[in-house]
Amino acid sequence: LRKLGVVRIDNVLTDDIADHLRNYVSDLRKQSDELVRNGDVKPLARFANVLLKDNRCDLTIPLEDDVVVVDALLHVLQKSPVGKMMSSMLGKDPSLYELSCLISDNGSQRQVVHPDTPCTSDDEEADMYTCFIALQDIKKDMGPTTWIPSTHTTTAHTVFRDDQLDRATGESPKDKLLRTSPSLLGLLPKGSCGIFDSRLLHCGGANESGISRSLFYFTFKNSAIGYPGNPASIRPELLSKYTLKTLEAELKKLKKKK
C-alpha cells in the first residue's frame, strides 16, 4: 500500500450484508432525492460534490438510520484487516473523515483522472486512506475505478500538472504520464474492497452496463493532520465527531440498541 498507493482485500463484507446495504442505499437515495427536490433539505445535506454528476452521485450515509450500516462498518473494521490497517498506517487513532456511497448509473461518463488530495511531500506516510467496498460484482462495462499505481508522489504530481505541449512530439508531460503509466482496474467482486492513498491518481469509468454500480466507502485521516485539501464526503453532523476507536465503541452501542 505504501509503495503502490492501492491494495485490494477480498471478503471484507459477506454477500448478505452487501446485498442489504445496497438495498438500503438505493432506498436512501430515493428518499434523499425527494427531500432535495421538494426543498426540504439542501443538496449538500444529502449529497457530496462529485466529478461529472450526470448519472452519478455521492450519497452521504447517516450512522444511526439503519442497523445494516452499523453491521457493515463493524464487520469491515473488526472482522477484516481493514481496521488494523487504517490504525497502523495512519497513526494511533485516525479520525473518520468520510462516510458515503458512490453510485454510478448507466450512462455516466468517464471521469478525468485526478487525486483526491494534493501531494505536498514525498513522506511515505499518507494523510488519508479511502476504502471502496463493492456492493455488487463490478465488471468492466460498469465503469470500475481506474488507479494509477505509484503516482502518490510529488514527482508524479508535478508531471501531472504540466500540460504544456512539446512542439516536437505534440504531447504534454501530463499526457505522456497518463499514456505510459500502467493502471489497475477495480474489477472487484461483491464484498471486496480497494484501499488507496488519497494522493493517488485515479478516476471512475463510464457505466455502459445498464446496472447501477454502488461503492460504499469511508475514509480515515491521520488525526494530527488538519484540512487535507479536499472537502469531506460525510454528513455534517458526523464530521470530526469520531476516531476509529470512538467509532467502534459507538457502533457497538448502536447495535445493542437495534
Side-chain angles (χ1 to χ4, degrees):
L1 184 55
R2 284 195 175 98
K3 181 180 179 181
L4 299 181
V6 62
V7 69
R8 170 176 154 178
I9 304 176
D10 289 340
N11 302 313
V12 301
L13 284 184
T14 65
D15 284 354
D16 283 348
I17 294 177
D19 289 341
H20 291 159
L21 186 54
R22 188 164 188 256
N23 290 335
Y24 164 74
V25 165
S26 177
D27 291 341
L28 179 65
R29 183 187 185 184
K30 293 175 184 176
Q31 295 167 11
S32 299
D33 279 332
E34 185 175 356
L35 287 171
V36 171
R37 187 168 53 249
N38 293 339
D40 296 323
V41 299
K42 294 182 179 180
L44 285 178
R46 293 293 182 271
F47 299 95
N49 285 323
V50 64
L51 290 175
L52 295 182
K53 288 186 177 180
D54 289 346
N55 300 310
R56 179 184 276 112
C57 74
D58 192 353
L59 176 68
T60 54
I61 305 296
L63 199 57
E64 300 185 17
D65 188 41
D66 195 288
V67 69
V68 69
V69 176
V70 174
D71 286 343
L73 285 172
L74 276 175
H75 195 94
V76 175
L77 295 176
Q78 297 189 330
K79 296 184 179 181
S80 82
V82 173
K84 289 183 179 179
M85 177 179 287
M86 291 290 185
S87 181
S88 66
M89 300 289 278
L90 291 171
K92 188 175 181 180
D93 196 17
S95 57
L96 179 68
Y97 192 70
E98 296 183 303
L99 181 61
S100 197
C101 187
L102 281 170
I103 304 173
S104 170
D105 298 324
N106 181 60
S108 62
Q109 297 300 303
R110 181 183 179 89
Q111 294 177 319
V112 296
V113 176
H114 63 281
D116 285 342
T117 58
C119 185
T120 56
S121 76
D122 281 330
D123 189 342
E124 287 188 354
E125 301 298 329
D127 291 345
M128 301 197 305
Y129 284 109
T130 296
C131 179
F132 277 178
I133 304 175
L135 299 187
Q136 68 288 296
D137 292 336
I138 298 179
K139 300 180 180 180
K140 191 173 182 179
D141 62 353
M142 296 174 73
T145 308
T146 296
W147 289 285
I148 305 180
S150 303
T151 55
H152 55 311
T153 65
T154 54
T155 299
H157 278 230
T158 298
V159 175
F160 182 71
R161 291 192 298 268
D162 189 350
D163 55 7
Q164 186 69 37
L165 292 180
D166 184 297
R167 291 185 178 181
T169 64
E171 186 176 45
S172 70
K174 175 180 179 178
D175 290 337
K176 184 177 180 180
L177 173 72
L178 298 178
R179 178 175 60 82
T180 61
S181 298
S183 60
L184 295 174
L185 200 59
L187 301 176
L188 300 172
K190 179 168 58 177
S192 64
C193 74
I195 300 177
F196 64 99
D197 188 314
S198 63
R199 302 170 295 183
L200 195 71
L201 298 179
H202 65 284
C203 67
N207 190 339
E208 301 172 343
S209 67
I211 301 172
S212 291
R213 172 177 66 92
S214 299
L215 285 171
F216 176 70
Y217 76 95
F218 53 82
T219 298
F220 280 95
K221 177 177 71 70
N222 186 322
S223 295
I225 303 299
Y227 180 64
N230 186 49
S233 296
I234 194 169
R235 292 286 176 101
E237 65 271 18
L238 297 179
L239 183 60
S240 302
K241 185 175 182 179
Y242 295 108
T243 65
L244 179 57
K245 288 181 180 178
T246 60
L247 176 63
E248 289 183 353
E250 180 66 15
L251 291 171
K252 291 177 182 177
K253 290 180 182 178
L254 290 173
K255 188 172 179 63
K256 288 181 179 179
K257 289 181 181 180
K258 299 294 183 180

